[in-house]
């Protein structure tokens, strides 16, 4: 168990809909990262938050947005869903200092199926 | 942008034997981190081993070891005494030491262990 919790595990929805994926980082970790894993694009970085603020952005679509709350949990919002958004979405967290600072620990992922 | 290449889509190994997975990367940075993550059928991303670029000594974690060749930008993973539980997809990942802390992943290598 990595200590990173993602909910829900599975999500099935229809095109055009909006969903919210939730992530609770490891206790004490300030950084949260979101990744998308799809068959055609592999594992891709979406966005990073550090202590509530956006730190880095990757290949994240404008239809997607994220935020990190004061209790450090994060949510990834996906709207106007398309079939191509079907993927496994991972959240990872890392510590702000110490020997584990450079390691990202991953949650179990949320599998999104858009029908 | 950093590119990570895993040229072996699949590798097969006999139980108790050794298998080596290849990874090359492209970067202009002198300081960075390299990782191998394992993704078993459960889809969980599990850290196997990490290497800091400024350390010349190759990292080792039990049956897992790396061969880090900085000049050649090569980072291979050796799995010794392979076990059935080692069967998984293995991803090589790069992380900058500077502002951009995202992980850049290779396409992955599927390892099959034959009993």
């Amino acid at each position: 168990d990595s200590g990173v919790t993602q909910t829900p595990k599975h999500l099935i929805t229809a095109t055009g809909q909006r969903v919210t994926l939730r992530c609770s980082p490891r206790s004490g970790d300030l950084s949260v990262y979101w990744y998308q894993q799809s068959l055609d694009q592999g594992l891709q970085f979406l966005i990073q938050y550090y202590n509530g603020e956006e730190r880095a952005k990757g290949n994240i679509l404008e239809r997607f947005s994220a935020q990190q709350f004061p209790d450090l949990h994060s949510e990834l919002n996906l709207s106007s869903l398309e079939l191509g958004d079907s993927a496994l979405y991972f959240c990872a967290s890392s510590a702000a200092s110490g020997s584990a600072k450079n390691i990202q620990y991953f949650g179990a992922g949320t599998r999104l199926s858009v029908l | 942008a950093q590119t990570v290449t895993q040229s072996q889509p699949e590798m097969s190994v006999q139980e108790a034997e050794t298998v080596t997975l290849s990874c090359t990367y492209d970067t202009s940075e002198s300081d960075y981190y390299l990782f191998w993550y394992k993704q078993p059928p459960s889809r969980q991303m599990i850290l196997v081993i990490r290497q800091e670029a400024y350390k010349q000594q190759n990292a080792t974690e039990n049956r897992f070891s790396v061969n880090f060749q900085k000049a050649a930008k090569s980072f291979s993973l050796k799995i010794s005494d392979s076990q059935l539980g080692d069967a998984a997809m293995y991803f090589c990942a790069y992380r900058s030491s500077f502002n951009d802390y995202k992980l850049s992943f290779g396409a992955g290598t599927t390892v099959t262990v034959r009993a």
Side-chain angles (χ1 to χ4, degrees), chain A residues 73-84:
Chain A
H73 91 270
S74 178
E75 293 181 355
L76 179 66
N77 301 296
L78 315 176
S79 61
S80 302
L81 285 167
E82 302 175 359
L83 296 177

Side-chain angles (χ1 to χ4, degrees), chain A residues 41-112:
Chain A
Q41 304 232 10
L43 267 160
Q44 293 219 344
F45 167 73
L46 295 178
I47 197 164
Q48 178 201 358
Y49 277 82
Y50 179 83
N51 202 20
E53 295 194 1
E54 182 184 304
R55 174 68 67 88
K57 227 170 188 175
N59 299 323
I60 188 166
L61 299 171
E62 284 191 14
R63 300 183 286 108
F64 296 1
S65 65
Q67 54 185 330
Q68 186 179 27
F69 295 87
D71 67 352
L72 300 177
H73 91 270
S74 178
E75 293 181 355
L76 179 66
N77 301 296
L78 315 176
S79 61
S80 302
L81 285 167
E82 302 175 359
L83 296 177
D85 298 327
S86 296
L88 188 55
Y89 290 85
F90 283 109
C91 169
S93 73
S94 64
S97 61
S99 61
K101 183 177 75 166
N102 302 309
I103 299 174
Q104 292 183 23
Y105 295 92
F106 282 75
T110 293
R111 175 160 301 282
L112 174 66

